[in-house]
Each structure stands twice: as C-alpha cells, then as structure tokens.
Amino acid sequence: MKTELIRRVPLFSTLSEQEFRSLEQVFQVKSYRKNQIIFLEEETGNYMYVVLAGKVKVTKSTPGGKECILAIHQPGDFFGEMALLDGKTSPATVSAMEDCRVATILSADFHRLLMRNEKAVRQIIQVLCGRLRHVWGQIQDLSYSTAEARIRAGILQLSRKHGITDSRGIIIDLKITHQELAELVGTSRETVTRTLARLQKEGVLLLDNRRMVLLDPKRLMSITD
C-alpha cells in the first residue's frame, strides 16, 4: 500500500523504476493522532511528507488568533516541499484532522534523489505552478463580499479537489465539519450551518454522514456577490 500511494504522487511520476526504488527506500512512515501537530508555522522544514492514510489540514492563524484552513490533504497528497526548496521556514501549521499515517523524506535525500534529476525538477515546477493557480482561485473565491457566496465557492473548490461523480451528482469525498468549512472560507460556524440547511432545502446539495453530495452543481456555480 505504501508503494502504490507514493508511486501515484505527481511529484514522482517521471521517475524510472530504478529511481523510484531508490527513493522508496529512504521514506520513513510515521503515525499521528487526531489533532496532533505535524509541524508548526515558522519551524525549519527538514522533511517532505506524503499522506498514506487519514487527512491533514494546513492552517494559518490571523493576527486576532483565528485559525484559517488553507488546504486539506488526503491519501496520495504531499506537502512540505516548499521549505526544502527555498530553505525557509514553514509558511503554515499542519496537523492531523483524524488519525493518519504519513511517509517522510529527509531534505538531504530529497535533494540527492530529486533535485539532481532533470525530469523530476521539471515535474516539481509543474506541480508548484498547479498549486499557485489553486491559490489564485482561493483568493478569488474569498473576495466575495457575502458569506454565502464564499461558502458556495468553498464547496466548489472542495468538489474540484475531492469530488467523485456518481448517479446523484458529485460526492465530496471528505468528512468536514461545519467549523472546518467555516475556517476554510472565513466565516462563522453558525453561518455555514444556516447556508448548508438552505442549500439542502433548495435541493442543491445533500449532507450524508458529514459528506456533501452536490445534487445540482450548476445551480451552485451560479454564484452572485
């Protein structure tokens, strides 16, 4: 299972079998309990991480002490590579949303096995460009002045990253609480609860065991500010 998940990480897709076997040998697997901190903002980054099981969240605290969720990572996702590339401290805190298992690679091994590989470096650039475009989309979504518009935009972002299409619509394969969604879009839990209840009543989405199912994605996409 570890090999299959790590092999699917986009960062490693250009590696030959021999190159990948060398990389796999240096990975170490660590387990984290729900709410346990994986690394703190402003810590010096020494590892890159690949999620093998469970989910983690990337957060940043506002000057007023409020926590904002910047990203949610699930099995197959990776993080921590930025600090290894520029040698600076981590720009955000990462913690476990649930019990999880994470594979780690040391900075020295990252540079030895990936940064000296031209194909891997091109792939790293491509992945980072994709992340930058995603952040641009998040900034645009958060520019909506009304809380409901930001919530709708946040749900759309989650559906693009975590969505699975079935006969009902798009299942957002991510168990997320109302509080976590509020932290993701910059509003209150009470506002999220009211908005989700209204969207259910209107037949736009369904809440199924903390998972959201978009029944009518087109209606959700017609966001007005």
Side-chain angles (χ1 to χ4, degrees):
M1 177 61 72
K2 183 179 85 166
T3 300
E4 292 175 3
L5 277 173
I6 296 175
R7 193 63 168 121
R8 291 203 299 267
V9 173
L11 208 56
F12 310 140
S13 63
T14 61
L15 298 180
S16 67
E17 285 303 318
Q18 181 176 352
E19 290 168 338
F20 178 72
R21 283 197 295 271
S22 297
L23 180 70
E24 186 196 12
Q25 303 220 352
V26 303
F27 272 101
Q28 299 295 319
V29 177
K30 298 182 180 180
S31 296
Y32 295 90
R33 304 288 294 176
K34 182 178 179 179
N35 297 324
Q36 186 176 352
I37 300 295
I38 298 174
F39 62 75
L40 289 166
E41 183 178 352
E42 300 304 327
E43 280 187 348
T44 302
N46 294 313
Y47 297 92
M48 189 187 78
Y49 305 78
V50 180
V51 183
L52 301 181
K55 294 181 177 66
V56 306
K57 61 181 179 180
V58 183
T59 61
K60 192 171 183 67
S61 296
T62 66
K66 184 178 179 181
E67 182 179 83
C68 294
I69 296 178
L70 304 180
I72 296 172
H73 295 309
Q74 60 184 352
D77 290 341
F78 62 95
F79 55 93
E81 77 291 341
M82 283 180 57
L84 300 190
L85 289 170
D86 63 12
K88 296 182 179 179
T89 57
S90 301
T93 294
V94 178
S95 58
M97 293 181 71
E98 56 192 38
D99 291 353
C100 62
R101 288 170 52 244
V102 177
T104 63
I105 179 173
L106 271 168
S107 175
D109 292 322
F110 176 85
H111 285 274
R112 176 173 58 88
L113 296 171
L114 293 174
M115 295 306 294
R116 296 178 184 175
N117 184 313
E118 183 179 347
K119 292 184 298 182
V121 170
R122 287 201 301 267
Q123 187 68 5
I124 288 169
I125 293 171
Q126 184 175 339
V127 168
L128 292 179
C129 286
R131 289 195 168 178
L132 181 57
R133 292 182 186 279
H134 175 72
V135 170
W136 285 344
Q138 280 187 311
I139 293 171
Q140 181 180 8
D141 291 343
L142 290 174
S143 69
Y144 292 113
S145 62
T146 67
E148 179 167 339
R150 294 199 302 274
I151 293 167
R152 288 173 179 260
I155 293 170
L156 282 174
Q157 285 278 359
L158 291 174
S159 72
R160 293 182 187 121
K161 180 173 175 58
H162 305 283
I164 300 173
T165 302
D166 76 350
S167 58
R168 295 180 294 174
I170 301 175
I171 301 172
I172 299 176
D173 189 28
L174 180 72
K175 287 188 175 182
I176 184 169
T177 66
H178 291 190
Q179 180 62 42
E180 288 164 345
L181 181 55
E183 292 168 359
L184 187 66
V185 301
T187 188
S188 68
R189 180 186 59 79
E190 292 78 10
T191 302
V192 166
T193 299
R194 286 196 303 268
T195 301
L196 292 182
R198 182 162 55 251
L199 292 174
Q200 283 193 94
K201 186 176 180 179
E202 294 173 356
V204 176
L205 63 77
L206 171 70
L207 293 181
D208 182 11
N209 191 26
R210 280 178 52 198
R211 284 188 174 90
M212 288 179 281
V213 182
L214 282 182
L215 304 175
D216 194 345
K218 290 183 179 179
R219 284 182 63 193
L220 191 67
M221 291 174 69
S222 58
I223 299 174
T224 56
D225 195 1

